[in-house]
Amino acid sequence: MKNIDSRGHVRGESIYVDDMPVREGTLHAAVFGAPYAHGHIKRLDVSAAQRAPGVFTVLTAADIPGENQIGGIIPDEPLLAEDAFHFNGQPIAVVLADSEDQARAALEHIELEYEKLPVITDPREARAKGELLHPPRTFQLGDVDTAWAACSHVFSGRADSGGQEHLYLEAQGAYAHQVENGGVRVYSSTQGPTAVQRTAAKVLGVPMHLVEVDVTRLGGGFGGKEDQATPWAVMAALGALVTGRAVKVVLHRLDDMRMTGKRHPYSSDFKIGLDKDLKIVAYEASFHQDAGAAADLSPAVLERTLFHCTNSYFVPNVKTTAYPCRTNVPPNTAFRGFGGPQGMFVIEAAICHAAEQLGVRPEQIQKANLLSEGDSFPYGQKTVGCLAQRAWGQTEEQYGYAALLGKRDTFNAANRFRKKGIAMQPICFGISFTKTHMNQAAALVHIYSDGSIGVSTGAVEMGQGVNTKMLQVAAGIFSVSADRLKIETTNTTRVANTSPTAASASADLNGKALEKACDCLRDRLLEQAARELGRADTAGLSLKDNAVWADGAATDLSWERLVMSAYLNRISLSQQAHYATPGLHFDTNTEKGEPFAYHVYGTALYEVTLDIIRGTYAFDAVHVVHDFGQSMNPIIDLGQTEGGLVQGMGWMTMEDLLYDKEGRLMSNALSTYKIPDIYAVPKQMDVTFIDTEGAPLAILKSKAVGEPPLMYGMGAYFAIRDAIRAWRDTKAMAFHAPMTPERALLGLYPDFADEPVVDQEVASG
Ligand code: MTE
Ligand code: GUN
Ligand code: MOS
């Protein structure tokens, strides 16, 4: 089944926030952001802006009736800065005017006097100065301190990975208007409708039941709208409440890039010890997370870095510590993988480093250490249905790893200025929110008297196809054709207290809740069918092909007649259900537990050709063997795999997010920030579905697919590095992603670097 949105998308008919017809008198917002990264506000004067043409009013912190607080995990972030600002672009005031142009023009008339304060953009500097969001956390398994003695080889080094701009096609936006009784309705492009509702209620000083949040769909979120859609929605709600008019806040791309947080850059140190058979005996790492200027989701992201610090490998002795470092850049936030990729990159770098020093191929170490059934992760959970070795083995065999290696060597011997590199990239990703309480969802199903069905869940459609999957769940249980179903907008008055659509878990969580609601309705309808058909009970009855079947044959009781009969007999045709993933627990004191419903595995094999003169590269092919369980929708799951993989390649190769030393975003537009286009996509992409049992906690045994493939992107970095290795030894080359052509050149010709290659910070200017 195709994504049910695809027709609307290609015809331009799908509705996003900015497409909604506006109400009469709608005001348009422009946000005034801090002009510098850190300062004390001495004077803020918006009176001239108030008088500018078309301006209705200018909101500042003084207009907030409730709490000026949008922080979720830690209450450390105001909606509008009051005494101080902590990052360049931090919202200070919101101009509301008749048109967007007028609102933007009025920004020029806002007067701000401030005293500059020191700016920190380096997480290591932040740690040294004690700028931590909370104390560091450590995950431990075995005993590293004694394990080093048992190692034949011990290596240490440093690995850095850059940030990543979400670049969802639809920028952040919301539209709000007042309803009676002091309430407000907010249409928001958010992954977290309940987060918007909760925060708007807090800021407006009203109970949550006065705030209704409605989401049709997002033009992409990728984590960037899990928490950071909230401020714009709350500004719209505040504006609506203060002015009595409808208010629209839609960010311009440049403001979106400047004002919102991104994937967290990490700077990490590692130490790895191996025995003579290349088994990893011990692994230690410290992760410096660049959290940005406020907590946002950073503590949860940090946790997932620790959960995934050993990727797909079994390491008996582990000690990893993570530092959430406060800097003066926009608060960094969720991004596909949620800290997992950053943790995994470090152990991949450690393995690659060890291989380079020992003169073996990294794949030898990777393969020797893949997880087996029953192995422990550093947090105590053991693997169940572990596919790490199977995926690796199948990749090697099916795509001819050994032959490709031979091809690489032959090509490299024959070509002086072009070199081929290859890399294998195994992944392992845990499915569930790491905060156990978030693993719950609800659904509400109405069957209308004509047999059509309306489905509401807490899931938000952002291109990942969750609405299509929800439709498949309900249509499957009722055995009715898809056109009888409508997936409703995600609305806080229909489904309350939702977790954000995140952690790749929304199809599982919402699908299971929906399954419960539909099962309940089906049972009730079958009881009515038994009465209609004059049978003692429902034994032998089922729903199939828009009708009731008895003992394997169709009856003349159609779906429509059954529903009408239930209605006439005053049987409820509506059902709500709630689902909570069973068996999850985690103790943050011991840092042990079973936080994940299951794990997703897979392996990618990359082939790249590097231009030795220019540092440019092209990916010849990527071959993937991925664990989908029993995919309920191979078209969508293939799209998620290819899209995630390419997005991961972007993070690892070309997306170079740069702030200058004053915390000003340098890569602030699409002219300076490059994401993969069709030319950057590997010329050949193969994805093999491993058909497996699936996991009982996966919806219809179809494993979560949203985030895991992103981590295949790491292989792109290591494949290019392998091509550099064919030109010169890389023993001293820093592990610094992204591997832009510039960094590839510095790897090829380290003598030309005018700065130490280990510290590749680009200067401001
Ligand atoms: N796919 C598209 N097209 N657009 C998106 O914004 N977000 C990703 C992934 N795939 C995203 C996407 C992220 S970060 C997550 S967590 C999952 O989808 C969320 O949806 P799911 O739980 O339904 O997989
Ligand atoms: N996105 C990916 N993983 C997680 C998670 O564990 N928690 C939250 N809040 N978002 C996520
Ligand atoms: Mo995804 S980063 O969990 O929104």
Side-chain angles (χ1 to χ4, degrees), residues 226 297 300 303-304 334-338 429-430 432-435 438 500 502-504 596 707:
E226 178 172 340
L297 292 165
E303 188 172 67
R304 200 176 266 279
F335 197 134
R336 210 169 191 171
F338 205 75
F429 197 72
S432 287
F433 285 98
T434 58
K435 296 272 177 276
M438 293 176 77
S504 306
F596 298 120
E707 292 168 290

Side-chain angles (χ1 to χ4, degrees), residues 261-425:
K262 300 154 203 326
R263 182 188 295 285
H264 296 75
Y266 272 59
S267 181
S268 310
D269 299 311
F270 62 77
K271 184 172 169 189
I272 189 167
L274 302 97
D275 69 12
K276 57 181 182 1
D277 301 321
L278 302 180
K279 284 268 187 202
I280 304 172
V281 177
Y283 177 62
E284 215 175 281
S286 4
F287 304 106
H288 300 92
Q289 176 198 51
D290 182 349
D296 191 84
L297 292 165
S298 296
V301 170
L302 182 104
E303 188 172 67
R304 200 176 266 279
T305 300
L306 292 167
F307 280 119
H308 294 301
C309 67
T310 50
N311 187 12
S312 202
Y313 308 108
F314 173 64
V315 185
N317 302 287
V318 179
K319 183 177 178 187
T320 52
T321 301
Y323 299 86
C325 306
R326 198 190 290 112
T327 62
N328 298 108
V329 300
N332 286 317
T333 194
F335 197 134
R336 210 169 191 171
F338 205 75
Q342 292 96 318
M344 287 156 65
F345 178 68
V346 181
I347 192 159
E348 293 298 339
I351 288 172
C352 183
H353 180 65
E356 287 173 355
Q357 308 306 314
L358 292 170
V360 301
R361 289 204 55 88
E363 296 91 275
Q364 287 175 258
I365 302 180
Q366 289 175 303
K367 188 178 178 178
N369 291 282
L370 292 170
L371 285 163
S372 316
E373 189 70 4
D375 277 347
S376 266
F377 290 101
Y379 44 94
Q381 186 163 355
K382 291 185 162 53
T383 62
V384 175
C386 179
L387 291 161
Q389 302 192 8
R390 179 168 158 199
W392 178 286
Q394 191 171 333
T395 307
E396 258 189 5
E397 228 169 89
Q398 190 177 321
Y399 298 116
Y401 164 75
L404 285 176
L405 200 57
K407 199 176 104 185
R408 165 199 184 270
D409 294 344
T410 315
F411 181 94
N412 290 344
N415 289 277
R416 182 151 180 229
F417 292 125
R418 286 196 310 149
K419 298 290 178 192
K420 277 195 193 291
I422 73 173
M424 292 274 274
Q425 186 56 64

